[in-house]
């Protein structure tokens, strides 16, 4: 149980375009999902907390107009990187929280490369 | 601000050696503690967690961790490592409030030679 999927697993896009990444909890409902960014050989940096039915809470330094988060249902959160630039190239990982155990389960990540 | 420190950046062991990875956190209140593992090319998986009770917790694949409150530590141990334990290990905490985000350490790369 507690499986989280992400789609796509990798994406290459041109600078200036927008990319949407989906995060789904497959076998449980998640009122809270989290989006992280991981740089090579480094730890995960929290970008934002996504709450179902309300606005996401962004960490300091994360541009909310650039990284749009929508958590429209209890099993789906989306991250849209708008007007992507090469510096946005990274590994984006989501997690979904099982409320009963207050434990987060992670998706496999999405590798974004902006040319 | 709360933080998590992992002392070892890269640990290299031979098979059957014992493992201990250090983790310390800085927060004076109650925390929930986690160890996650990321095998090469795979996503983060939960190894074990501590919320309350017995400070020695056992996880999957023979791993265990001990919470020592006085030392703000949650070290990960395994008596005898295997080549398949080669991975990145992350210590993480959440504040003892429902729904708070994980605060991760920088991770420790474990390389096990056969």
């Amino acid at each position: 149980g507690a499986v989280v999927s992400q789609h796509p697993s990798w994406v290459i896009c041109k600078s200036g375009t927008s990319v949407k990444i989906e995060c789904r909890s497959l076998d449980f409902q998640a009122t809270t999902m989290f989006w992280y960014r991981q740089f090579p050989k480094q730890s995960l940096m929290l970008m934002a907390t996504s709450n179902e039915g309300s606005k996401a809470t962004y960490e300091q330094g994360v541009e909310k107009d650039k990284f749009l988060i929508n958590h429209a249902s209890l099993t789906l959160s989306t991250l849209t990187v708008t007007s992507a630039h090469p510096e946005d190239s990274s590994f984006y990982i989501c997690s979904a929280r099982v409320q009963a155990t207050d434990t987060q389960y992670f998706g496999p990540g999405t590798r974004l490369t902006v040319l | 601000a709360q933080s998590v420190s992992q002392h070892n950046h890269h640990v290299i062991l031979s098979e059957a050696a014992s493992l201990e990875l250090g983790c310390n956190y800085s927060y004076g209140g109650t925390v929930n503690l986690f160890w996650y593992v990321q095998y090469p090319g795979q996503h983060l998986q939960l190894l074990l967690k501590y919320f309350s009770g017995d400070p020695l917790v056992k996880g999957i694949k023979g791993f265990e961790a001990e919470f020592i409150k006085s030392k703000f530590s949650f070290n990960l141990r395994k008596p005898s490592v295997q080549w398949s334990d080669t991975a990145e290990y992350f210590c993480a905490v959440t504040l003892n409030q429902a729904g708070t985000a994980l605060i991760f350490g920088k991770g420790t790369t474990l390389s096990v030679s056969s």
Side-chain angles (χ1 to χ4, degrees), chain A residues 17-76:
Chain A
T17 61
S18 295
V19 174
K20 180 186 283 188
I21 303 170
E22 293 184 347
C23 176
R24 294 182 185 272
S25 55
L26 298 185
D27 50 1
F28 65 100
Q29 294 183 329
T31 54
T32 306
M33 293 184 175
F34 301 89
W35 287 96
Y36 297 85
R37 189 169 173 176
Q38 186 178 30
F39 293 97
K41 303 294 185 183
Q42 294 189 31
S43 187
L44 283 74
M45 288 179 50
L46 178 67
M47 296 176 66
T49 301
S50 170
N51 295 298
E52 188 268 336
S54 64
K55 290 183 179 181
T57 304
Y58 291 82
E59 295 300 297
Q60 192 172 10
V62 178
E63 299 176 60
K64 58 184 177 184
D65 294 330
K66 180 168 188 62
F67 298 99
L68 300 179
I69 291 173
N70 185 288
H71 193 158
S73 78
L74 288 171
T75 59
L76 173 64

Side-chain angles (χ1 to χ4, degrees), chain B residues 35-103:
Chain B
W35 275 97
Y36 284 87
V37 60
Q38 189 173 30
Y39 296 104
Q42 297 189 29
H43 63 282
L44 280 161
Q45 300 174 40
L46 181 67
L47 266 183
L48 48 78
K49 62 184 178 182
Y50 172 81
F51 283 11
S52 63
D54 188 343
L56 183 63
V57 293
K58 295 189 183 300
I60 61 172
K61 304 187 181 187
F63 286 91
E64 65 179 31
E66 184 175 13
F67 171 52
I68 303 179
K69 189 174 182 180
S70 61
K71 295 184 178 181
F72 298 88
S73 69
F74 189 55
N75 292 355
L76 181 72
R77 299 195 292 250
K78 185 170 184 177
S80 175
V81 295
Q82 301 173 318
W83 176 81
S84 57
D85 293 324
T86 295
E88 189 83 13
Y89 292 81
F90 294 96
C91 180
V93 305
T94 61
L95 307 183
N96 195 12
Q97 302 164 25
T100 59
L102 284 162
I103 303 167

